[in-house]
Amino acid sequence: MTVPHLATALKGPLLELERRILAAQPNIEHWFRSQWHVHATPFYGSVDLRNSGFKLAPVDMNLFPGGFNNLNSDFTPLAVQAAMSAVEKVCPEAKSVLLIPENHTRNTFYLQNVAALVHILEQAGLKVRLGSLNPEITEITTLATANGDSVTLEPIERRGNRLVLADGFNPCVVLLNNDMSAGIPELFKGLEQTLLPPWHAGWAVRRKTNHFAAYDKVAAEFAQLLSIDPWLINPYFTQVSGLDFHSRQGEEEMARAVDEMLAKIRAKYAEYGIEQEPFVIVKADAGTYGMGVMSVKSGEELIGLNRKARNKMAVVKEGLEVSEVIVQEGVYTFETVNEAVAEPVVYMLDRFVIGGFYRVHTGRGVDENLNAPGMHFVPLSFESACLPDKKGTPDCPPNRFYAYGVIARLALLAASLELEATDPDAEA
């Protein structure tokens, strides 16, 4: 088992946070249960966490997780039970699922993720077939995955208000592993089948700032439960809109937002005696795959960006133009795996933590985005189903991973609030 190394000099406040989380475990679990009585759990999600030794916080929440192949296979039974729970909630008599993946037919690691997800759903007693939105998939197509498995994609048809396959396969649940960065397909509008996650969770509609606004509420309530400063688990953020990176429109406003945030972080660092230099992450308010992300230590760095930097920020996945950014407090990661910088990514299905992995990057620093070419993954060993070890030290692996699971579930709860608030079908 790989246990991350955390720079020991910085453990103090975090150790105290972990100690409080452990001491409050019964209250925390009761609080989560009460929350899930009121709010519907997203079908699945993955959360990028950063652990700076003085702060443990989520920096991204993905509602279409694409790394099931990187999870520790020992925990597949956990995932299977969670999948059963998730499907029973939406369609108790569900026998079949149409899984719609991304259009990455050449990314064999992504296809391996699809195969891993299919395996989990099949073990949960569901018949699973893969329907593709890719216009190049016009007939049944079998593709190889990175580890030599295969997946079979079929073109989707719409008949009435249902998505089906050519031979009449007509499932009651349509599960998306496609984040709809390119827009919401007309196929999905007005379906009578259950669509998971709902189409308004896709990046054509979703905004990171909406998520972190919901997380503000969740973190404040949770911090009250533990009697801690919410800042220890919550990064500051703000939104800047009306940008055009090509024409440099909005540069000054963005720089001002960065400088204002750096001043707020400096005040907190002074309060806690933290000697590190604050930094800020500027990233596209919609989109994924670590595209459109910059790490800066002053607003001045955003004035007069060169063409390469502007191009990098201007467009994200599927050619989505960036006109809004989230300016987010940078959280250092002082965790390393084999001396390379690492950050934990926690996976959840329904309301259960089912595992995770470390995203490790040998070429990146403690204040940089690790979701970049050159990264690799080391499975996390969530021991005994992410349960804490009451006799262990606060930072022993089961207890650290329990703390990760708690913070990740806070982000999942925030995603639930976010989806409720942005649901176009909800009554005003």
Side-chain angles (χ1 to χ4, degrees), residues 283-400:
K283 56 189 168 187
D285 203 8
T288 183
Y289 288 98
M291 299 171 81
V293 180
M294 286 182 73
S295 172
V296 296
K297 290 184 174 170
S298 80
E300 202 179 349
E301 291 177 50
L302 293 169
I303 305 292
L305 289 173
N306 64 32
R307 182 177 292 167
K308 185 181 174 188
R310 290 205 313 278
N311 288 345
K312 184 183 147 195
M313 292 298 294
V315 178
V316 289
K317 186 182 161 217
E318 303 279 7
L320 202 62
E321 293 272 340
V322 176
S323 61
E324 301 163 317
V325 295
I326 176 171
V327 174
Q328 187 181 54
E329 174 188 348
V331 182
Y332 280 95
T333 178
F334 287 123
E335 287 191 284
T336 56
V337 172
N338 297 331
E339 296 183 15
V341 178
E343 66 186 9
V345 183
V346 177
Y347 270 58
M348 291 156 295
L349 229 164
D350 194 54
R351 58 197 170 92
F352 305 102
V353 172
I354 59 161
F357 50 81
Y358 274 95
R359 181 183 285 124
V360 184
H361 204 305
T362 53
R364 292 278 168 124
V366 293
D367 58 354
E368 291 183 289
N369 168 39
L370 303 188
N371 189 356
M375 62 185 165
H376 66 277
F377 306 102
V378 177
L380 268 176
S381 291
F382 278 98
E383 297 181 351
S384 60
C386 200
L387 296 173
D389 175 358
K390 291 295 185 118
K391 292 179 181 168
T393 59
D395 60 339
C396 73
N399 291 340
R400 167 142 305 150

Side-chain angles (χ1 to χ4, degrees), residues 188-206:
F188 293 167
K189 303 285 177 72
L191 284 181
E192 59 186 48
Q193 288 149 305
T194 299
L195 187 68
L196 297 171
W199 60 260
H200 68 279
W203 283 124
V205 179
R206 190 177 176 226

